[in-house]
Amino acid sequence: MQKGEFIRQHNQLVQVGRAILIGLLTGLVVSLFRLAIQKLLNLVTTCFQYFHQHPAGLIFWALGSIILALLLGWLTQRHPNIKGSGIPQVEGQLTSQFEEEWWAVLWRKFFGGILAIGSGLYLGREGPSIQLGAAIGQGVEESLHAGKLNRQVGIASGAAAGLSAAFNAPIAATIFILEEVYHNFSPVIWLATFVSALCSNMVSLTIFGLHPVLDVPYRYMLPTRYYWHLVVLGLVLGLLGRLYQLVILRLDSWTAKLTWLPPFAYPVVPFLLVIPIAWYLPVTLGGGNRLIGELTSLPFSLSFFAGLFLLRFVFSMVSYSSQLPGGIFLPILTLGAVLGAVYCALMVHCGLLPAQYLPNFIIYAMAGYFACISKAPFTAILLITEMVGSLAHLMPLAIVAMVAYLVVDSLHGEPVYTAMFNNFIGKHQDNHPQEVEMSVTIYAGASLDGKRIMDYDWPANSIVTSVYRGEQRIIPNGQTKLAAGDTLIIQVCQSRTGKVLGQISRAAHYADV
C-alpha cells in the first residue's frame, strides 16, 4: 500500500471515530431534550385537568406564564443565536458566513427549547435538535483541535445526528443535512454524517424503544383507481404550501410593526393564547406528534378538521413569531397531516372516497406538505417512510410529494430554510468571519462537464489548485478538461465563497489553507 493511500485511510478511520463520538453524545443530549419536552407537556396537560376542577388556579398559571415568557424573551434577545429553529444558524456555519460559540448556544438552546416547546407552544423540537447536534459536533472537533475541515465535518455530523435522534430517521436525517443544509455529498462528509446519525439513532432507540415516532395505524392500501386523488391532493398542498412560505417569511417584518410591544415581550402573546388551547384542545399542544397519532381517533368531521388546520396554522405562526427556541419542522408535518384529514373528509362528504383511507391520506399529505415547503421531495419521502415505519406507501408518497413540489416551484417558491437562512444572514452581518484565504472543495456539475479550466469564468482572485477524479489526483492547468463529478479544490478569499458556490454547484465544504 502506498504511503498516500495509507494516510488517507487512516484519516478516514479517525474521522469515523470522531463521528461515532459525536453521534453518541448528540443522541444522549437530544434524547434528554426530547424526553424533557414530553414530560413537561404531560405536566401541562395534567395541570389543566386539575384546573377544570379548580379554575382559580388559572390565575396563578397565567402569572407564571407571563414571568416565564419575559425571561425567555430576555434570553433570546440577549443571545439571538438561539432564536428559532437553529437550522439557518447551522447553514451559516457550514458555509462560513456565520460563527457562534458552541457551548454558549448548547446550554441555552437546550433549556430554552424545553421551556418554550414543553409549555405547549406550536413549535418543533427538530430544528433545535439539529442546532444542538451541530454545537456538540463543533465542540468535539474544537476540543480535539482537528482543524477547520474536520470542524465543518463535525458540525454536519452533529446536525444529522440531532435530527436522527429527534425523529428516529437516520437515513432521512443524513439526506436532509447534506441536501438542504450543507449541500455536499462528498464521500468523507456522507460517511461521517451517516455514521453519526446511526449512532445517535441507536441511543434514541435505546431510550424510547422501537415504536415509530409517528404511529399512524392503517389497515388498507389505497387502490390504484383512487390514485387521481393523489394528484389533486398534491395540487392543494402545493398552493397551501406556498401560502405557508409567504406568511412564515414575513413574520419578522409584521412583528416589527408592533412598536408598542418590545421584542423581549413577544413571547407573552403565545404564552397567554396557549391557555385556552390547553383548556379545550390539549391534544394539539406542542409540535404535533401526539395530534398526528390521534387524528384517526378524533371526530371524523370536515368542519372539525378544517378548524383544526386553521388553529394549527395561525397559532404556529404566532408561536414562531415570538422568536423563542423552536422550529417549524414538525409543525409543518402536523399541518400536512391535518390537511390530509381535511381532504379525505371532503372527498367522503362528496361520495368520492371511502372513509377507511383516512390514515393513508394523513401519511401522504405529511410528505407532500413538507416536500413543497422545503422543496426537498426526496427527503420528505424518506422521512415519512422512516417515521411511519413502513415502505408500503412509497409510490403514493412520491406522487403527492412531486406534484406539490412542482406547484410551489411553478409559483417561484424558494426552499423555506434557504430563504430563512438568507434573512438570518442579512440580520447578522456582524457575525461574518474575518476575511481570510481558504480552500473550497466543490463537485463539478453539468455546467463544467467537458470544459477546460481556462474556458470557465472563475471569480476574481480564485485559482483551481487540485482536481480529484475518483482516486486520481490531477494537478491542473488551463488546458485541463473537467468532467461532471470531479472534485475541485479552489483557493479563494472567504468573502467570495458564496459566488464560487453559486457559479459552480451547491456542494461545498471548507478546508484549511
Side-chain angles (χ1 to χ4, degrees), residues 332-393:
I332 288 175
L333 295 179
T334 305
L335 285 170
V338 177
L339 279 175
V342 171
Y343 180 86
C344 184
L346 177 61
M347 293 299 107
V348 170
H349 179 74
C350 296
L352 299 175
L353 188 70
Q356 66 193 31
Y357 297 116
L358 172 63
N360 302 62
F361 280 85
I362 290 173
I363 294 170
Y364 306 154
M366 279 193 289
Y369 205 54
F370 182 79
C372 67
I373 292 174
S374 66
K375 298 195 73 174
F378 189 60
T379 298
I381 295 166
L382 283 178
L383 180 68
I384 299 305
T385 298
E386 285 192 281
M387 292 177 66
V388 174
S390 173
L391 295 170
H393 305 288

Coordinates of all heavy atoms in Angstrom, one line a residue, residues 332-393:
I332 N -44.9 21.7 10.4 CA -45.2 21.6 9.0 C -45.8 20.2 8.8 O -46.8 20.0 8.1 CB -44.0 21.8 8.1 CG1 -43.6 23.3 8.1 CG2 -44.2 21.3 6.7 CD1 -42.3 23.5 7.4
L333 N -45.2 19.1 9.3 CA -45.7 17.8 9.2 C -47.1 17.7 9.7 O -48.0 17.0 9.2 CB -44.8 16.8 9.8 CG -43.4 16.7 9.2 CD1 -42.5 15.6 10.0 CD2 -43.4 16.3 7.7
T334 N -47.3 18.3 10.9 CA -48.6 18.3 11.5 C -49.7 19.0 10.7 O -50.8 18.4 10.5 CB -48.6 18.9 12.9 OG1 -47.5 18.3 13.7 CG2 -49.9 18.8 13.6
L335 N -49.3 20.1 10.1 CA -50.3 20.8 9.2 C -50.6 19.9 8.0 O -51.8 19.9 7.6 CB -49.7 22.1 8.8 CG -49.7 23.3 9.8 CD1 -48.9 24.4 9.3 CD2 -51.1 23.7 10.1
G336 N -49.6 19.3 7.5 CA -49.8 18.4 6.4 C -50.8 17.2 6.8 O -51.7 16.9 6.0
A337 N -50.6 16.6 7.9 CA -51.4 15.5 8.4 C -52.9 16.0 8.5 O -53.8 15.3 8.1 CB -50.9 15.0 9.7
V338 N -53.1 17.2 9.1 CA -54.4 17.7 9.2 C -55.0 18.0 7.9 O -56.2 17.8 7.6 CB -54.4 19.0 10.1 CG1 -55.8 19.6 10.2 CG2 -53.9 18.6 11.5
L339 N -54.2 18.5 6.9 CA -54.7 18.8 5.6 C -55.1 17.5 4.9 O -56.1 17.4 4.1 CB -53.7 19.5 4.7 CG -53.5 21.0 4.9 CD1 -52.4 21.5 4.1 CD2 -54.8 21.7 4.5
G340 N -54.4 16.4 5.2 CA -54.8 15.1 4.6 C -56.1 14.7 5.2 O -57.0 14.1 4.4
A341 N -56.4 14.9 6.4 CA -57.7 14.6 7.0 C -58.8 15.5 6.4 O -59.9 15.0 6.2 CB -57.6 14.8 8.6
V342 N -58.5 16.7 6.2 CA -59.5 17.6 5.6 C -59.8 17.1 4.2 O -61.0 17.1 3.9 CB -58.9 19.1 5.5 CG1 -59.8 20.0 4.7 CG2 -58.7 19.7 6.9
Y343 N -58.8 16.8 3.4 CA -59.1 16.3 2.1 C -59.9 15.0 2.1 O -60.9 14.9 1.3 CB -57.8 16.1 1.3 CG -58.0 15.6 -0.1 CD1 -58.2 16.5 -1.1 CD2 -58.0 14.3 -0.4 CE1 -58.4 16.1 -2.4 CE2 -58.2 13.8 -1.7 CZ -58.4 14.7 -2.7 OH -58.6 14.3 -4.0
C344 N -59.5 14.1 2.9 CA -60.3 12.8 3.0 C -61.7 13.1 3.4 O -62.7 12.5 2.8 CB -59.6 11.9 3.9 SG -60.3 10.2 4.0
A345 N -61.9 13.9 4.4 CA -63.3 14.2 4.9 C -64.1 14.8 3.8 O -65.3 14.5 3.6 CB -63.3 15.1 6.1
L346 N -63.5 15.7 3.0 CA -64.2 16.4 1.9 C -64.6 15.4 0.9 O -65.8 15.4 0.4 CB -63.3 17.5 1.3 CG -63.9 18.3 0.1 CD1 -65.2 19.0 0.5 CD2 -62.9 19.3 -0.4
M347 N -63.7 14.5 0.5 CA -64.0 13.5 -0.6 C -65.0 12.5 -0.1 O -65.9 12.1 -0.9 CB -62.7 12.8 -1.0 CG -61.7 13.7 -1.7 SD -62.3 14.4 -3.3 CE -62.6 16.1 -2.8
V348 N -65.0 12.2 1.2 CA -66.0 11.3 1.7 C -67.4 12.0 1.7 O -68.4 11.4 1.3 CB -65.6 10.9 3.2 CG1 -66.8 10.1 3.8 CG2 -64.4 10.0 3.2
H349 N -67.4 13.3 2.1 CA -68.7 14.0 2.0 C -69.2 14.1 0.6 O -70.4 14.1 0.4 CB -68.4 15.4 2.6 CG -69.6 16.3 2.6 ND1 -70.6 16.2 3.5 CD2 -70.0 17.3 1.7 CE1 -71.6 17.1 3.2 NE2 -71.2 17.8 2.2
C350 N -68.3 14.1 -0.4 CA -68.8 14.2 -1.8 C -69.0 12.8 -2.4 O -69.4 12.7 -3.5 CB -67.7 14.9 -2.6 SG -67.5 16.6 -2.2
G351 N -68.8 11.8 -1.6 CA -69.0 10.4 -2.1 C -68.0 9.9 -3.0 O -68.2 9.0 -3.8
L352 N -66.8 10.5 -3.0 CA -65.7 10.1 -3.9 C -64.6 9.2 -3.3 O -63.7 8.8 -4.0 CB -65.1 11.4 -4.5 CG -66.0 12.3 -5.3 CD1 -65.3 13.6 -5.7 CD2 -66.5 11.6 -6.5
L353 N -64.7 9.0 -2.0 CA -63.7 8.2 -1.3 C -64.2 7.6 -0.1 O -64.9 8.2 0.7 CB -62.5 9.2 -1.0 CG -61.2 8.5 -0.5 CD1 -60.5 7.8 -1.6 CD2 -60.3 9.6 0.1
P354 N -63.9 6.3 0.2 CA -64.3 5.7 1.5 C -63.5 6.3 2.6 O -62.4 6.6 2.5 CB -64.0 4.2 1.2 CG -63.8 4.0 -0.2 CD -63.3 5.3 -0.7
A355 N -64.2 6.3 3.8 CA -63.6 6.9 5.0 C -62.4 6.1 5.5 O -61.6 6.6 6.3 CB -64.6 7.1 6.1
Q356 N -62.4 4.8 5.1 CA -61.4 3.9 5.6 C -59.9 4.3 5.2 O -58.9 3.8 5.8 CB -61.6 2.5 5.1 CG -61.5 2.3 3.6 CD -62.0 1.0 3.2 OE1 -63.0 0.5 3.7 NE2 -61.5 0.4 2.1
Y357 N -59.8 5.2 4.2 CA -58.5 5.6 3.8 C -58.0 6.9 4.5 O -57.0 7.5 4.0 CB -58.5 5.8 2.3 CG -58.8 4.5 1.5 CD1 -60.0 4.4 0.8 CD2 -58.0 3.4 1.6 CE1 -60.2 3.2 0.1 CE2 -58.2 2.2 1.0 CZ -59.4 2.1 0.2 OH -59.7 0.9 -0.4
L358 N -58.6 7.3 5.5 CA -58.2 8.5 6.3 C -56.7 8.4 6.7 O -55.9 9.3 6.5 CB -59.1 8.7 7.5 CG -58.6 9.8 8.4 CD1 -58.6 11.2 7.8 CD2 -59.5 9.8 9.7
P359 N -56.3 7.3 7.3 CA -54.9 7.2 7.7 C -53.9 7.3 6.5 O -52.8 8.0 6.7 CB -54.7 5.8 8.4 CG -56.1 5.4 8.8 CD -57.0 6.1 7.7
N360 N -54.3 6.8 5.4 CA -53.4 6.9 4.2 C -53.2 8.3 3.8 O -52.0 8.7 3.5 CB -54.0 6.1 3.1 CG -54.3 4.6 3.4 OD1 -55.0 4.3 4.3 ND2 -53.6 3.7 2.7
F361 N -54.3 9.1 3.8 CA -54.1 10.5 3.3 C -53.4 11.3 4.3 O -52.8 12.3 4.0 CB -55.5 11.0 2.9 CG -55.9 10.6 1.6 CD1 -56.6 9.4 1.4 CD2 -55.6 11.4 0.5 CE1 -57.0 9.0 0.1 CE2 -56.0 10.9 -0.8 CZ -56.7 9.7 -1.0
I362 N -53.5 11.0 5.6 CA -52.7 11.7 6.6 C -51.3 11.5 6.3 O -50.5 12.5 6.4 CB -53.1 11.2 8.0 CG1 -54.5 11.6 8.4 CG2 -52.1 11.6 9.1 CD1 -55.0 11.0 9.7
I363 N -50.9 10.3 6.0 CA -49.5 10.0 5.8 C -49.0 10.7 4.5 O -47.9 11.3 4.4 CB -49.3 8.5 5.7 CG1 -49.5 7.8 7.0 CG2 -47.9 8.1 5.2 CD1 -49.6 6.3 7.0
Y364 N -49.8 10.6 3.4 CA -49.4 11.1 2.1 C -49.2 12.7 2.3 O -48.3 13.3 1.7 CB -50.4 10.8 1.1 CG -50.8 9.4 0.9 CD1 -52.0 9.0 0.4 CD2 -49.8 8.4 1.3 CE1 -52.3 7.6 0.2 CE2 -50.2 7.0 1.1 CZ -51.4 6.7 0.6 OH -51.7 5.3 0.4
A365 N -50.2 13.3 2.9 CA -50.2 14.8 3.0 C -49.0 15.3 3.8 O -48.5 16.4 3.5 CB -51.5 15.3 3.6
M366 N -48.6 14.5 4.8 CA -47.4 15.0 5.6 C -46.2 15.1 4.7 O -45.5 16.1 4.7 CB -47.1 14.0 6.7 CG -47.9 14.1 7.9 SD -47.2 13.2 9.3 CE -47.6 11.5 8.8
A367 N -46.0 14.1 3.8 CA -44.8 14.1 2.9 C -45.0 15.3 1.9 O -44.0 16.0 1.6 CB -44.7 12.8 2.2
G368 N -46.2 15.4 1.3 CA -46.4 16.4 0.3 C -46.2 17.8 0.8 O -45.6 18.7 0.1
Y369 N -46.7 18.1 2.0 CA -46.6 19.5 2.5 C -45.2 19.8 2.9 O -44.7 20.9 2.6 CB -47.5 19.6 3.8 CG -48.0 21.0 4.0 CD1 -48.7 21.7 3.1 CD2 -47.8 21.6 5.3 CE1 -49.1 23.0 3.3 CE2 -48.3 22.9 5.5 CZ -48.9 23.6 4.5 OH -49.4 24.9 4.8
F370 N -44.5 18.9 3.5 CA -43.1 19.2 3.8 C -42.3 19.3 2.5 O -41.4 20.1 2.4 CB -42.5 18.1 4.7 CG -41.1 18.4 5.1 CD1 -40.8 19.3 6.1 CD2 -40.0 17.7 4.5 CE1 -39.5 19.6 6.4 CE2 -38.7 18.0 4.8 CZ -38.4 18.9 5.8
A371 N -42.6 18.4 1.5 CA -41.8 18.4 0.3 C -41.9 19.8 -0.4 O -40.9 20.3 -0.9 CB -42.3 17.3 -0.6
C372 N -43.1 20.3 -0.5 CA -43.3 21.6 -1.2 C -42.7 22.8 -0.5 O -42.2 23.7 -1.1 CB -44.7 21.8 -1.6 SG -45.9 22.1 -0.3
I373 N -42.9 22.8 0.8 CA -42.4 23.9 1.6 C -40.9 24.0 1.7 O -40.3 25.0 1.5 CB -43.0 23.9 3.0 CG1 -44.5 24.2 2.9 CG2 -42.4 25.0 3.9 CD1 -45.3 24.1 4.3
S374 N -40.3 22.8 1.9 CA -38.8 22.7 2.0 C -38.2 22.5 0.6 O -37.0 22.7 0.4 CB -38.4 21.6 2.9 OG -38.8 20.3 2.3
K375 N -39.0 22.2 -0.4 CA -38.6 21.9 -1.7 C -37.6 20.8 -1.7 O -36.5 20.8 -2.4 CB -38.1 23.1 -2.5 CG -39.1 24.2 -2.7 CD -38.7 25.3 -3.7 CE -38.8 24.7 -5.1 NZ -38.5 25.8 -6.1
A376 N -37.9 19.7 -0.9 CA -37.0 18.6 -0.8 C -37.8 17.3 -0.8 O -38.0 16.7 0.2 CB -36.2 18.7 0.5
P377 N -38.4 17.0 -2.0 CA -39.3 15.8 -2.1 C -38.7 14.5 -1.7 O -39.3 13.7 -1.0 CB -39.8 15.8 -3.5 CG -38.7 16.6 -4.3 CD -38.2 17.6 -3.3
F378 N -37.4 14.3 -2.1 CA -36.7 13.0 -1.8 C -36.6 12.9 -0.2 O -36.8 11.8 0.3 CB -35.4 13.0 -2.5 CG -34.7 11.6 -2.4 CD1 -35.4 10.5 -2.9 CD2 -33.5 11.5 -1.8 CE1 -34.7 9.2 -2.8 CE2 -32.9 10.2 -1.7 CZ -33.5 9.1 -2.2
T379 N -36.2 13.9 0.4 CA -36.0 13.9 1.9 C -37.4 13.6 2.5 O -37.5 12.9 3.5 CB -35.5 15.2 2.4 OG1 -34.2 15.4 1.8 CG2 -35.4 15.2 3.9
A380 N -38.4 14.3 2.0 CA -39.8 14.1 2.6 C -40.2 12.7 2.5 O -40.8 12.1 3.4 CB -40.8 15.1 1.9
I381 N -40.0 12.1 1.3 CA -40.5 10.7 1.1 C -39.7 9.7 2.1 O -40.3 8.9 2.8 CB -40.2 10.3 -0.3 CG1 -41.1 11.1 -1.3 CG2 -40.5 8.8 -0.5 CD1 -40.7 11.0 -2.7
L382 N -38.4 9.9 2.2 CA -37.6 9.1 3.1 C -38.0 9.3 4.5 O -38.1 8.4 5.3 CB -36.1 9.3 2.9 CG -35.5 8.7 1.7 CD1 -34.0 9.1 1.6 CD2 -35.5 7.2 1.7
L383 N -38.2 10.6 4.9 CA -38.5 10.9 6.3 C -39.8 10.3 6.7 O -39.9 9.6 7.8 CB -38.6 12.4 6.4 CG -38.9 13.0 7.8 CD1 -37.8 12.7 8.7 CD2 -39.2 14.5 7.7
I384 N -40.9 10.4 6.0 CA -42.1 9.9 6.4 C -42.1 8.3 6.4 O -42.7 7.7 7.2 CB -43.3 10.4 5.4 CG1 -43.3 11.9 5.5 CG2 -44.6 9.7 5.8 CD1 -43.6 12.5 6.9
T385 N -41.4 7.8 5.4 CA -41.2 6.3 5.4 C -40.6 5.8 6.7 O -41.0 4.8 7.3 CB -40.4 5.9 4.1 OG1 -41.1 6.3 2.9 CG2 -40.2 4.4 4.1
E386 N -39.5 6.5 7.1 CA -38.8 6.0 8.3 C -39.6 6.3 9.5 O -39.7 5.5 10.5 CB -37.5 6.7 8.4 CG -36.4 6.2 7.5 CD -35.0 6.8 7.8 OE1 -34.8 7.9 7.4 OE2 -34.2 6.0 8.4
M387 N -40.3 7.5 9.6 CA -41.0 7.8 10.8 C -42.3 7.0 11.0 O -42.7 6.7 12.1 CB -41.4 9.3 10.7 CG -40.2 10.2 10.9 SD -40.6 12.0 10.7 CE -41.6 12.2 12.2
V388 N -42.9 6.6 9.9 CA -44.1 5.8 9.9 C -43.8 4.3 10.1 O -44.5 3.6 10.7 CB -45.0 6.0 8.7 CG1 -46.2 5.1 8.7 CG2 -45.5 7.5 8.6
G389 N -42.6 4.0 9.7 CA -42.1 2.6 9.8 C -42.7 1.6 8.8 O -42.8 0.4 9.1
S390 N -42.9 2.1 7.6 CA -43.5 1.2 6.6 C -43.0 1.7 5.2 O -43.0 2.9 4.9 CB -45.0 1.2 6.6 OG -45.5 0.5 5.5
L391 N -42.7 0.7 4.3 CA -42.3 1.0 3.0 C -43.5 0.9 2.0 O -43.3 1.1 0.8 CB -41.2 0.0 2.5 CG -39.8 0.1 3.2 CD1 -39.0 -1.0 2.8 CD2 -39.2 1.4 2.9
A392 N -44.6 0.6 2.5 CA -45.8 0.3 1.7 C -46.3 1.5 0.9 O -47.1 1.4 0.0 CB -46.9 -0.3 2.5
H393 N -46.0 2.7 1.4 CA -46.6 4.0 0.8 C -45.6 4.7 -0.1 O -45.9 5.9 -0.5 CB -47.0 4.9 1.9 CG -47.9 4.3 3.0 ND1 -49.2 4.0 2.7 CD2 -47.6 3.9 4.2 CE1 -49.7 3.5 3.8 NE2 -48.8 3.4 4.7

